[in-house]
Amino acid sequence: MLKMSLTDRDEHNKKRIPILMNYLKLRITDSAHSLSQQHAVFRIELEYGDGLLKWVVYREMADFWNLHGRYKVANLRHEIPNLPAFPKIGLPYWNLLKEEREKHMQEMGMGGKEISKEKFNRIQRERLENYLLKLIRAVMFRPEANRLCKFLEISALSIQLATAGAGAFQGKQGYLSLHVSGGSGSGISRKGLKGFHPMHFKKKHEPKWFLVRESYIVCVDEPDDPTIYDVILIDSDFVIERPKRLYKQGLHLLQHHKDEKTTPFTEDLKSDTATTSTSPVATGKPGDSATFNGAEDPADPSTTNSAPAKKKAVRDASSHTFYVKNSERRLRLVAKNERQMDQFVASIEMMAKRSIWAGKNRFDSFAPIRMNVEAQWLVDGRDYFWNLSKAILMAKESIYIHDWWLSPELYLRRPPAANEKWRLDHLLQRKAKEGVKIFVIVYKEVSNDFTPVESNYTKTRLLGLHRNIHVQRSPSHGLTPQFWSHHEKMCVIDQTIAFMGGLDLCFGRWDTPGHVLIDDGPTGMGMAREEIPDDVQIWTGKDYSNGRVSDFFTLSKPEEDMYDRNKVPRQPWHDIGLQLVGQPARDLCRHFVQRWNYLLRTKNHTRLMPFLLPPADFTPLELAQKRIFGTCEAQICRSASPWSIGTPNKVEHSIQTAYIKAIQLSDHFVYIENQFFISSTLVEGVVIENKIGDALVSRIIRAHHEGTAWRAIIVIPLEPGYPASLDSAEAGSVRLILECQNRTICRGQHSIFGRLRKEGIDPDEYITFFGLRGWGKLKNGCLTSEAIYIHAKCMVVDDRVAIIGSANINERSQRGDRDSELACVIRDTDMMESTMGGRPYQVGRFAHSLRVRLMREHLGIDTDEMEARELGLDVRSRDSIKSSQAHSTHSAPWDPDREQQQGMHETQKHGHVKGQAEQAKHTARHVAHEIANVAAIESDRAAQEFADGSR
């Protein structure tokens, strides 16, 4: 194999396609138009690697003749031992009858009897099949095998994808020329160097080898090269266009066309997987297929078969050119002949028809509803980073990270003195050395003074760890800075387990439910584990932060403190994250792949980075084998726009739509935690356009008119997290945010309170706002207090539906055309008995447990102690529910407007009270030490190896 890929060259000086031909099996199982001299069609079923990959190829008799002729020419240049002769039975049937019937009858052992056409077809297929098998044996170790691989539509990338388990669908393969059409959001492949470069221009306009896969079209330079040249994703806007040609319309007006009667193959021939059964063959007179010219042949499943109403439009369309268009780009593809073009169009149409990505989704989201999902909320940074660190540790293939800010020196487990190996950069470096491919996208700030995240430092540090780590920053700021940001936070490990929500992998986010203010002990760094004192620091260096005092600075020196810990308390950080296993993780991968590839097409990179492919959906068998099952319904939503994801004519704001719809359909209450609350108002003549505030007002008015109890509980920060006093000259942005929030909530006639009072409604009866504050004692004995910063972006509705993500309730996050965001809508089908409005009411376990957990924390209850006490019963009850509902598909998705559809043809488918500060501090340190001990003795073998690994 190494010799094939490095030294062997075919007649075109191309590398040998690295395929082991002895692992290739084939059968010719059916045929049509066997009486035609050129257009007899044969169905070739192929299998590689004992079922690793199965696919079907359709070839005409002319293709066989051309293949053999090329090998005869090659044999004259370089002798090919044992090159088989072309079977005489492959000659046209009628010539055989007229000229050499008797002779060939004797050769076939048929005596002098005349054979039926059906027997002739069978013998013809057998002889051609034997010819291909002999040809494989003759060229399997020679570079001339390239021609046979192309004939059988097999390439290095298709085998690589099959080996990686990247989906079972294998569509058409072959050469097409690729051109970008006007008005596209981005170009083709990677952005080239500035100026005109002849070699780059030549290579760009050479035909590429295309593969049609389960939800995308991918191309490479040559079939021997697995390096991806570009990817075209299927989405809800995907269409295939066939341009009309005026000369063809004129020619057809001058010709008389008569209908040709043929007997088509049965529908099972359209299957993309090989089968052993054969189907009835077409019969007729010589020349029956001539009308089709290898395209639009109803007897050939590899070509298109348009509806009668579209026959004329297809007949007048181009014979070589067609367009594929999605929400990002419109690309012109040119085939060498009409039959090849028609086969590609048919394959793409079949793929898109069966793809879940080509239909319309609930809330107009890019992603579909997923059922039987395993989902787990994670409140505050300690639990989120603990689960994330364990998932990264177990990574075997890939890690995708997308963050607004990433701190390489972040400790995922505490205290830092006992968990040096769990520092983010150390963990990623270890996995990269093990062969895990790591891809990172971080927000590129306008300036470090404006947003002090120092993304260039992050990029430099990560790239210096290992060559398997790839980093892109976005957006690029040219002459006109882009003031919107990539605000989403997500991490996907091995395309199977995903983390998302409000937590960036950066300083200041790790916290416990106790939200301790004071951390003034020794660092303990460099001490042996047994020497680490009990009062060791939990937040070291830059991690000890207070955004109301000063923002971050000198991040390149992460170990240095920013404040005097004896005088300045830290600002506690409250946040909510989400862990998803299974199909939603694949959806987040697809989003990441779309972002990554868009950046590759639009940014100049000195380092060559690969295009990524979206993973295929898990099959039911894969989910069962991996034991991935749960009781939740989940859907990924996002805010995405032309600037952020490269869709020139589309803005997605499915997060806002989900918030509004959930509020409108609520029965009893909504509970919201968010960093901001700006919506549906008028501020200094500027209209705030997102409609979440309108939805709340409308729902309250309806509850008032119906005389039913309904309430909105909203928790937001007491003040924006900016380092300036409200009356200082530098606090203009802080005062503007507060003005917008006040105008949304209670100030003026356009506020929620003002609109309710206009309707004669007392707002206090229906909606309440809260902030959180904690307190502690400095080393000198003085009491201190600080607002707990609410950074969560979450809504719980009726304890049935929960929305968790990165989107704030403001214009930047909700409109879609500004900041890019991610959120997940979750509804648990595991129902519990509860009481609301004085009546029995069933609630979902996921949403109910999340809301109760948040309220317990905010009321000062020791949630760790309570959860530990409840854990035994809860685990047993949940396990019994999971086992009984593991494969349940009877629960219909929550789709009130019946928006969920599939395929190109849209086939419809179903204020904070805290206890004793010292006690909270002691609890936090106790939990941190317990975590360190668990890390040392964790039963998971991989974690044990990591904890006790090389020093």
Side-chain angles (χ1 to χ4, degrees):
M1 180 69 75
L2 185 62
K3 175 181 178 294
M4 291 179 188
S5 59
L6 293 180
T7 62
D8 287 354
R9 292 291 188 275
D10 63 12
E11 66 270 25
H12 302 295
N13 200 34
K14 301 295 183 182
K15 291 182 180 179
R16 167 77 157 85
I17 299 174
I19 303 297
L20 296 174
M21 301 292 285
N22 55 310
Y23 285 99
L24 183 64
K25 302 175 184 177
L26 65 84
R27 289 186 61 206
I28 300 181
T29 58
D30 216 330
S31 57
H33 304 310
S34 58
L35 310 183
S36 171
Q37 295 191 20
Q38 292 186 347
H39 298 299
V41 180
F42 299 90
R43 171 189 169 98
I44 310 174
E45 298 179 357
L46 297 113
E47 178 182 332
Y48 185 83
D50 291 329
L52 178 67
L53 179 63
K54 296 180 179 181
W55 72 105
V56 178
V57 174
Y58 292 89
R59 291 299 181 197
E60 290 185 320
M61 181 61 73
D63 298 324
F64 282 91
W65 293 349
N66 182 63
L67 177 69
H68 184 72
R70 294 301 181 94
Y71 272 117
K72 292 289 286 184
V73 173
N75 191 43
L76 296 176
R77 298 173 181 171
H78 305 284
E79 182 178 354
I80 303 175
N82 302 318
L83 182 68
F86 194 79
K88 294 181 179 179
I89 194 67
L91 297 174
Y93 175 72
W94 288 99
N95 290 346
L96 192 67
L97 290 181
K98 292 178 181 178
E99 299 174 8
E100 302 183 12
R101 176 188 301 176
E102 295 296 332
K103 178 181 176 182
H104 289 285
M105 291 298 174
Q106 294 292 339
E107 290 180 0
M108 291 184 290
M110 301 299 297
K113 299 178 182 178
E114 183 174 342
I115 62 172
S116 66
K117 295 170 186 175
E118 287 75 13
K119 281 191 176 181
F120 172 81
N121 294 336
R122 177 177 58 80
I123 296 170
Q124 186 184 45
R125 293 195 298 268
E126 290 176 355
R127 295 297 174 86
L128 289 174
E129 180 181 312
N130 290 333
Y131 169 74
L132 289 177
L133 292 174
K134 291 177 182 178
L135 190 57
I136 289 174
R137 287 192 289 268
V139 301
M140 66 167 55
F141 299 116
R142 299 177 60 89
E144 289 84 359
N146 279 5
R147 183 172 298 280
L148 184 57
C149 288
K150 295 173 185 178
F151 178 86
L152 298 176
E153 297 183 5
I154 185 169
S155 62
L157 181 59
S158 63
I159 299 302
Q160 185 182 87
L161 294 176
T163 305
F169 182 88
Q170 174 68 45
K172 172 71 177 172
Q173 293 192 53
Y175 282 110
L176 293 172
S177 294
L178 174 64
H179 308 275
V180 68
S181 179
S184 290
S186 58
I188 300 173
S189 192
R190 296 170 183 83
K191 187 174 182 181
L193 300 175
K194 294 182 179 180
F196 177 76
H197 300 272
M199 294 305 297
H200 175 73
F201 179 85
K202 178 178 180 295
K203 184 176 181 180
K204 187 174 182 179
H205 288 79
E206 289 177 345
K208 308 300 177 187
W209 184 265
F210 277 77
L211 298 83
V212 178
R213 299 291 296 180
E214 58 280 339
S215 65
Y216 58 89
I217 308 165
V218 59
C219 64
V220 294
D221 285 318
E222 292 291 340
D224 63 87
D225 187 4
T227 304
I228 298 170
Y229 182 79
D230 208 341
V231 188
I232 306 163
L233 300 183
I234 304 300
D235 58 26
S236 58
D237 295 325
F238 183 81
V239 293
I240 303 172
E241 300 172 353
R242 303 177 72 169
K244 289 185 178 181
R245 294 292 184 255
L246 294 178
Y247 77 91
K248 293 191 70 175
Q249 297 180 48
L251 289 176
H252 283 114
L253 288 175
L254 299 176
Q255 295 177 358
H256 174 71
H257 297 279
K258 60 182 180 179
D259 294 334
E260 299 292 335
K261 296 182 179 179
T262 58
T263 304
F265 283 3
T266 54
E267 282 299 317
D268 64 28
L269 286 177
K270 293 181 180 288
S271 172
D272 59 296
T273 57
T275 60
T276 57
S277 62
T278 60
S279 303
V281 296
T283 59
K285 300 179 181 179
D288 272 355
S289 63
T291 303
F292 304 110
N293 293 320
E296 278 285 318
D297 185 353
D300 184 356
S302 69
T303 62
T304 57
N305 190 8
S306 304
K310 297 182 179 180
K311 287 287 186 184
K312 184 178 183 302
V314 172
R315 185 187 64 188
D316 295 337
S318 171
S319 300
H320 298 81
T321 301
F322 66 101
Y323 293 85
V324 290
K325 179 183 177 183
N326 62 8
S327 60
E328 296 181 76
R329 297 178 291 168
R330 182 174 183 260
L331 301 177
R332 181 165 65 97
L333 304 176
V334 182
K336 65 179 180 180
N337 56 51
E338 184 176 8
R339 175 176 173 77
Q340 186 189 41
M341 181 202 71
D342 206 52
Q343 284 187 328
F344 264 108
V345 171
S347 182
I348 295 171
E349 284 180 344
M350 183 172 65
M351 175 267 288
K353 185 176 181 180
R354 55 181 278 168
S355 174
I356 196 171
W357 296 100
K360 181 181 179 182
N361 298 313
R362 184 182 64 178
F363 309 135
D364 281 332
S365 171
F366 81 104
I369 301 171
R370 302 296 195 174
M371 303 299 294
N372 300 323
V373 173
E374 176 66 32
Q376 175 61 53
W377 46 260
L378 299 166
V379 178
D380 293 320
R382 182 197 66 190
D383 295 348
Y384 182 86
F385 290 137
W386 172 270
N387 281 26
L388 176 62
S389 65
K390 187 172 182 179
I392 293 177
L393 174 69
M394 295 187 293
K396 302 297 182 184
E397 298 175 1
S398 65
I399 299 173
Y400 296 161
I401 299 174
H402 197 321
D403 268 341
W404 178 77
W405 177 21
L406 187 147
S407 301
E409 298 83 10
L410 172 70
Y411 287 89
L412 299 177
R413 299 189 182 187
R414 306 298 169 97
N419 291 282
E420 186 67 28
K421 295 177 182 179
W422 294 102
R423 205 171 83 170
L424 181 60
D425 54 351
H426 296 166
L427 191 56
L428 293 179
Q429 184 180 43
R430 180 184 178 100
K431 300 313 295 183
K433 288 180 178 179
E434 292 174 4
V436 176
K437 303 295 184 181
I438 302 172
F439 301 90
V440 182
I441 301 175
V442 292
Y443 167 63
K444 182 179 180 181
E445 68 278 14
V446 177
S447 71
N448 203 52
D449 294 332
F450 188 74
T451 312
V453 296
E454 294 192 22
S455 63
N456 189 56
Y457 168 76
T458 298
K459 178 180 178 180
T460 303
R461 283 280 293 118
L462 292 179
L463 291 179
L465 297 176
H466 197 272
R467 63 180 179 275
N468 281 338
I469 300 178
H470 306 272
V471 184
Q472 293 194 80
R473 296 188 297 160
S474 178
S476 297
H477 303 290
L479 296 177
T480 305
Q482 177 58 262
F483 289 101
W484 313 129
S485 67
H486 290 297
H487 194 244
E488 58 213 72
K489 306 97 169 51
M490 60 162 277
C491 180
V492 185
I493 292 89
D494 288 342
Q495 303 176 341
T496 301
I497 180 169
F499 296 83
M500 59 175 292
L503 287 139
D504 290 292
L505 302 181
C506 66
F507 293 137
R509 271 50 169 176
W510 195 98
D511 211 338
T512 66
H515 295 305
V516 177
L517 273 65
I518 309 301
D519 186 32
D520 53 7
T523 65
M525 303 303 290
M527 295 183 180
R529 180 181 291 271
E530 60 274 8
E531 298 175 355
I532 297 175
D534 291 340
D535 62 343
V536 66
Q537 286 184 11
I538 305 298
W539 295 271
T540 58
K542 296 293 189 293
D543 216 19
Y544 187 94
S545 63
N546 190 323
R548 292 292 298 135
V549 176
S550 72
D551 217 329
F552 290 90
F553 55 88
T554 60
L555 292 174
S556 58
K557 300 177 180 179
E559 71 285 350
E560 294 183 359
D561 282 354
M562 296 185 291
Y563 324 104
D564 183 350
R565 296 179 184 236
N566 296 323
K567 298 179 180 179
V568 179
R570 63 177 293 271
Q571 183 171 39
W573 192 278
H574 173 71
D575 222 323
I576 302 174
L578 177 65
Q579 175 181 305
L580 297 163
V581 184
Q583 304 286 25
R586 296 285 168 102
D587 299 342
L588 287 170
C589 280
R590 193 178 187 88
H591 168 77
F592 184 91
V593 166
Q594 187 178 3
R595 291 278 342 276
W596 180 271
N597 292 345
Y598 169 65
L599 294 179
L600 283 185
R601 296 188 199 102
T602 55
K603 293 175 66 70
N604 289 311
H605 291 290
T606 56
R607 179 186 181 188
L608 183 65
M609 290 184 283
F611 277 93
L612 300 179
L613 296 176
D617 281 3
F618 286 108
T619 64
L621 179 60
E622 289 174 330
L623 292 173
Q625 290 174 341
K626 296 176 180 290
R627 297 187 177 184
I628 299 175
F629 51 80
T631 61
C632 290
E633 164 199 308
Q635 183 186 20
I636 305 298
C637 298
R638 67 184 182 183
S639 293
S641 62
W643 82 264
S644 63
I645 209 162
T647 55
N649 301 309
K650 184 174 183 178
V651 174
E652 181 178 333
H653 48 78
S654 53
I655 298 177
Q656 180 186 169
T657 305
Y659 266 87
I660 292 171
K661 184 61 67 174
I663 293 170
Q664 290 172 344
L665 298 178
S666 61
D667 294 328
H668 297 282
F669 77 92
V670 297
Y671 175 86
I672 296 174
E673 290 189 7
N674 208 280
Q675 184 183 1
F676 298 101
F677 193 80
I678 301 171
S679 177
S680 308
T681 190
L682 187 68
V683 180
E684 297 180 359
V686 177
V687 177
I688 306 299
E689 297 181 4
N690 79 81
K691 304 299 182 184
I692 294 175
D694 287 342
L696 288 169
V697 171
S698 298
R699 184 62 187 90
I700 292 172
I701 292 174
R702 178 160 67 90
H704 180 73
H705 290 165
E706 294 173 352
T708 56
W710 190 91
R711 179 164 288 277
I713 302 168
I714 302 171
V715 184
I716 57 176
L718 293 173
E719 292 181 352
Y722 294 92
S725 176
L726 292 178
D727 56 356
S728 66
E730 298 80 13
S733 60
V734 181
R735 289 194 294 270
L736 179 59
I737 292 172
L738 287 176
E739 175 68 9
C740 291
Q741 292 196 156
N742 290 333
R743 290 286 179 181
T744 298
I745 298 170
C746 59
R747 184 177 296 169
Q749 60 180 344
H750 300 289
S751 67
I752 293 174
F753 284 19
R755 293 159 68 183
L756 293 178
R757 290 189 178 110
K758 185 178 180 180
E759 297 290 332
I761 301 172
D762 182 2
D764 292 336
E765 296 294 324
Y766 293 96
I767 185 169
T768 313
F769 290 82
F770 295 91
L772 307 179
R773 180 173 286 276
W775 64 278
K777 184 182 292 186
L778 297 171
K779 183 173 289 188
N780 59 12
C782 294
L783 295 179
T784 185
S785 178
E786 186 57 80
I788 296 175
Y789 196 65
I790 306 299
H791 194 259
K793 298 93 169 49
C794 170
M795 181 171 74
V796 178
V797 179
D798 295 332
D799 280 1
R800 287 185 173 178
V801 176
I803 301 176
I804 300 173
S806 65
N808 296 312
I809 298 180
N810 60 11
E811 292 290 84
R812 292 184 67 111
S813 293
Q814 296 292 336
R815 280 185 38 161
D817 59 349
R818 298 187 176 183
D819 289 0
S820 65
E821 306 284 3
L822 284 171
C824 186
V825 183
I826 304 168
R827 184 181 70 97
D828 202 338
T829 59
D830 172 16
M831 307 302 287
M832 305 168 57
E833 294 297 331
S834 184
T835 302
M836 290 195 188
R839 296 181 180 180
Y841 190 80
Q842 284 199 327
V843 299
R845 185 179 297 273
F846 180 95
H848 173 75
S849 59
L850 171 60
R851 195 261 307 165
V852 170
R853 165 65 175 77
L854 292 170
M855 287 188 167
R856 284 175 176 174
E857 176 181 321
H858 301 335
L859 292 173
I861 296 174
D862 188 336
T863 58
D864 289 328
E865 181 181 348
M866 182 168 287
E867 288 176 3
R869 189 167 62 246
E870 296 174 347
L871 184 61
L873 289 176
D874 186 57
V875 167
R876 286 194 293 271
S877 62
R878 288 186 68 107
D879 285 346
S880 63
I881 291 167
K882 288 179 187 178
S883 61
S884 64
Q885 299 189 5
H887 304 289
S888 172
T889 57
H890 299 294
S891 299
W894 178 59
D895 189 10
D897 293 338
R898 297 290 185 269
E899 297 172 276
Q900 194 68 34
Q901 297 175 345
Q902 177 177 337
M904 275 181 60
H905 301 288
E906 298 187 348
T907 303
Q908 186 166 346
K909 291 184 69 177
H910 299 13
H912 193 80
V913 180
K914 287 293 177 186
Q916 297 293 329
E918 292 302 320
Q919 181 181 357
K921 177 180 177 180
H922 178 269
T923 301
R925 298 193 191 282
H926 174 72
V927 169
H929 283 292
E930 287 299 316
I931 289 174
N933 292 333
V934 170
I937 63 174
E938 192 173 10
S939 60
D940 184 276
R941 184 173 61 87
Q944 183 66 50
E945 291 176 357
F946 182 64
D948 299 332
S950 59
R951 300 189 180 275

